[in-house]
DNA sequence: CCAAAAGTGTTTTAAATACACCCATGC
DNA sequence: GCATGGGTGTATTTAAAACACTTTTGG
């Protein structure tokens, strides 16, 4: 129900459907006014990294920012964004959550770049590949992506919904 | 503000002050009635394991259960309780959260029993001691606890508030 | 001296890290 | 044949797990 409201909001702002949505935290009084009694339930939505917003009639003055270059936000919204990023970083390590930000088919390099971008640190290609493969969240496809250089193997996620890796 | 409300509720039900409190999750419609539009913000409170409720005039028909033997709960309350336990288990591994359930001074055996109870699995005494010690969350006290057997060293937590262990 | 709980090390196994070269393609 | 990005293996370090005996006290 709360989820539905959040989902509708993102849908109307982006035109996207079927994006990943996760509740983060509920803030008791995010407003500057101590008497307002506003309760804000914060959500994080994940959209394909390639997404670019089209100018939208309902939000002519809206803005879209890369999470890496967020401007200062009003109220406690900066706190919310920081919290979202923290959660996302954590889930990259033990879930397949990256599926929500990549196209159905992608190369290992693209996956690696996404991880490096979000985790904000360099990643060793060989160790990364070994670690991800041992999670068993990817399947290699028969097709390869052509281009000016050596063709890259294409992968897709086994599941297109959130799955945690059990740690024994 | 939400925290305050939860805190007051637990205080009046238990008579305790200064207990650990943490917001868990916000449920959009926990009621059976789909039109009720109730929003429930679930919290987890931790009290000393030794706590026993005194019969309280304001809650003459209230009940107190060990988390290990909760009865079936109405609505989605069972879901909430399960979620709380999951979070608590996770935090035992990388925080000093046990401070909230132990007296100021305790023996290593008591700490170990608490972990075994919550994690619901046997714990190897030697590995456990080494792991906890390497976290640096405990300080050994000079005094020892007497008794019919070999005296046990007493420990206390360095911090009496939540601290996470940074993993390098 | 016996019962009961406290305390202590070493070996094995698995996971994380560090690190550099060859491969396949288009031009 | 060369520029470009794709792909691979090993050695080292660190952490987790398995495992049993000795110590101290009170009675």
């Amino acid at each position: 129900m709360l989820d539905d409201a959040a989902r509708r909001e993102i849908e109307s702002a982006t035109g996207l459907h079927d994006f990943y949505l996760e509740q983060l935290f509920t803030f008791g009084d995010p407003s500057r006014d101590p008497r307002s009694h506003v309760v804000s339930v914060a959500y994080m939505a994940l959209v394909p990294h390639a997404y670019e917003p089209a100018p939208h009639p309902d939000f002519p003055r809206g803005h879209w920012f890369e999470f890496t270059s967020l401007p200062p936000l009003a109220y406690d919204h900066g706190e919310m964004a920081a919290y979202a990023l923290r959660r996302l970083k954590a889930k990259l390590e033990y879930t397949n959550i990256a599926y929500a930000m990549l196209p159905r088919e992608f190369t290992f390099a693209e996956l690696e770049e996404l991880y490096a971008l979000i985790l904000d640190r360099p990643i060793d290609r060989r160790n990364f590949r070994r670690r991800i493969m041992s999670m068993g969240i990817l399947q290699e496809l028969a097709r390869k992506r052509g281009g000016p250089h050596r063709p890259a193997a294409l992968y897709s996620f086994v599941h297109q919904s959130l799955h945690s890796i059990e740690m024994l």
Side-chain angles (χ1 to χ4, degrees), chain A:
Chain A
M1 209 194 75
L2 288 169
D3 293 12
D4 297 344
R7 192 166 285 279
R8 276 194 302 273
E9 199 64 27
I10 299 291
E11 270 183 21
S12 75
T14 64
L16 292 170
H17 305 282
D18 297 325
F19 48 86
Y20 177 86
L21 185 70
E22 175 180 338
Q23 189 192 114
L24 288 178
F25 199 81
T26 298
F27 294 83
D29 190 1
S31 155
R32 275 186 289 222
D33 178 355
R35 300 217 59 83
S36 70
H37 282 206
V38 170
V39 171
S40 300
V41 183
Y43 277 80
M44 166 175 74
L46 300 180
V47 303
H49 185 219
Y51 172 77
E52 287 285 344
H56 194 286
D58 294 354
F59 295 87
R61 298 172 54 215
H63 286 293
W64 184 263
F65 298 98
E66 296 286 322
F67 76 93
T68 47
S69 56
L70 276 182
L73 299 176
Y75 308 123
D76 51 0
H77 296 176
E79 199 185 330
M80 291 179 187
Y83 189 59
L85 183 53
R86 202 146 46 85
R87 282 267 277 273
L88 177 57
K89 280 181 175 179
K91 289 204 169 172
L92 280 181
E93 307 291 357
Y94 67 95
T95 74
N96 65 343
I97 198 168
Y99 85 87
M101 294 165 286
L102 288 174
R104 285 298 277 269
E105 304 187 349
F106 52 88
T107 67
F108 226 96
E110 289 167 341
L111 181 65
E112 184 187 318
E113 283 156 20
L114 181 68
Y115 268 72
L117 179 67
I118 296 172
L119 297 175
D120 193 28
R121 57 172 149 90
I123 287 180
D124 181 276
R125 202 192 313 176
R126 288 168 287 189
N127 294 338
F128 179 70
R129 180 184 287 259
R130 185 173 28 242
R131 202 162 60 80
I132 296 292
M133 282 316 192
S134 79
M135 290 189 198
I137 59 182
L138 294 189
Q139 55 194 173
E140 187 170 354
L141 305 177
R143 304 194 316 101
K144 288 185 184 297
R145 169 171 304 172
H149 308 300
R150 176 174 177 175
L154 287 173
Y155 295 84
S156 69
F157 282 92
V158 177
H159 300 284
Q160 289 287 322
S161 62
L162 191 66
H163 280 251
S164 290
I165 311 310
E166 352 273 333
M167 0 202 171
L168 319 176

